[in-house]
Each structure stands twice: as structure tokens, then as C-alpha cells.
Amino acid sequence: DAKTTQPTSMDCAEGRAANLPCNHSTISGNEYVYWYRQIHSQGPQYIIHGLKNNETNEMASLIITEDRKSSTLILPHATLRDTAVYYCIVRSFFGNEKLTFGTGTRLTIIP
Amino acid sequence: DSGVTQTPKHLITATGQRVTLRCSPRSGDLSVYWYQQSLDQGLQFLIQYYNGEERAKGNILERFSAQQFPDLHSELNLSSLELGDSALYFCASSGDRAGANVLTFGAGSRLTVL
């Protein structure tokens, strides 16, 4: 699996958009970008994934650069419940591969 | 409720003992994954099963073993327990479709070894 680089921590004001960057410069053509988060000691929660197009769901938006070497997860209106560790993971397109978690970004939403 | 059920939620035991953690995957999911998360540590992949067969192995100690049964539930057996085995153990499952399978995680089993 390709390696990802994320900032160790970030703060965001409640109600503002939280933009979490991720670098994955060694991503290969058959790899997706996944985002998960872990709220304190809970099981990791899937947020969104994408291959090369921007994606949006009820939780977040994922912006992937045209060269696919980096991406940004956007939480449009952050709430205190969004405080968590966010993991950017690159994983093979070919199904049922494990997820390899890095250290992620600890996002703190400030009231 | 993610649909992945793990039992027990909490377990306290002594060094040298053996425990079994159980995981029931989401209905229809054939793959089960086990992860370990020690205090303030990252999520470490232990092992994966697909439809009863071992599929991938990570940093799993020889004292640990797992299996997936015909009804697709899985058990993680931890033996000769040491203080350092205290951790959260997560199970995840995913479907059998090719492509971008999403892993769904359970709430975890917290093991404390005294």
C-alpha cells in the first residue's frame, strides 16, 4: 500500500469548514483514497473514498488532485462531535485488502 | 450500530491466562479483519479471513490465533497473556464485491491484563 502523509494535528472553529490534507505521492493507478475517523476509543468509522473524481456524501467531500498525488477531506460545517483522529489511507482497488492505518490527523473542533 | 458485533465489550484477566474474543460480521460480509490498538498507539493489523480461509497476516504474535467459522463469525484467541497485551481489539468486516470495499468496524473489545 502507498504511504500517506498527514499533519499531526489541526484545530478548527465550530461551524467552519475543516479541511484536512493528505499527501500520497506514490499512489498507483489501481489504488483508492479512503478516509476514516476514530472518535476517542470507538471503532474507526468510514467517511468517504474516491479514485480520481471529487466525491461528496452526507458526511464530507473529498477533493483529489488531478495527478492524484494529494487529496483534501472537507467537513463543511464542523461540530464538536467531529473531534477525532482522521486517517487518510490508500488501498488497492482489488477488493478485500486490509486497511493500513498511519498516525492520522488529530482534529480538534474549538467551540 | 455498525452491524459488526464484538463480544465481550470489556474483559479483565490475569497474566498467563487465555481469552477468546468473538466477532460477528455484517450480514453478507465474507471478510473479517482483526486489529489491535494499544494505549495511545495506532491501529495494528493482525489477521484477515475470507470465507473461512486465512487471507492476510500482519503483526500477530505466535501466542495469538484466529479462525473464521462456517457461519462467518470469527474468534481471536489470545494465550499466555502479558501486561503488554492490554489493548482494544477491533474486528471489521467487508463484502465480497471486487472494487472499493468499505471496512465496517465493530465497537471493540477492551482487554485489560493485570
Side-chain angles (χ1 to χ4, degrees), chain A residues 8 10 14 24 42-43 58 75 82 89 106-109:
Chain A
T8 302
M10 293 180 64
E14 189 178 16
H24 32 79
Q42 296 181 20
E58 64 279 4
L75 308 179
D82 292 322
I89 302 166
R106 183 173 297 276
L107 175 68
T108 302
I109 306 302

Side-chain angles (χ1 to χ4, degrees), chain B residues 3-28:
Chain B
V4 177
T5 304
Q6 290 189 246
T7 57
K9 287 186 169 48
H10 301 276
L11 188 56
I12 301 174
T13 188
T15 55
Q17 295 298 305
R18 172 189 170 96
V19 299
T20 297
L21 309 180
R22 181 188 170 102
C23 170
S24 294
R26 283 192 325 161
S27 177

Side-chain angles (χ1 to χ4, degrees), chain A residues 32 34 36 38 41-44 46 49 87 91 93 95-99 101, chain B residues 31 33 35 37 43 45 48 55 90 94-95 99-103 105-106 110:
Chain A
Y32 281 83
Y34 288 79
Y36 279 75
Q38 187 176 25
S41 295
Q42 296 181 20
Y46 165 78
H49 74 276
Y87 297 97
R91 176 177 178 240
F93 172 89
N96 292 304
E97 299 297 319
K98 67 182 187 297
L99 290 171
F101 288 84
Chain B
S31 273
Y33 311 75
Y35 285 81
Q37 187 173 37
L43 286 146
F45 169 71
Q48 177 198 358
R55 174 75 179 268
F90 290 104
S94 70
N101 278 300
V102 170
L103 268 68
F105 284 79
R110 182 179 293 277

Side-chain angles (χ1 to χ4, degrees), chain B residues 36 46-47 57 59-66 76-82 84-86 89 111:
Chain B
Q36 179 192 52
L46 294 178
I47 198 163
K57 212 166 190 176
N59 300 320
I60 188 167
L61 300 172
E62 287 192 7
R63 300 184 286 107
F64 296 0
S65 64
L76 179 66
N77 300 296
L78 316 174
S79 62
S80 303
L81 285 168
E82 302 175 358
D85 297 328
S86 295
Y89 292 85
L111 173 66

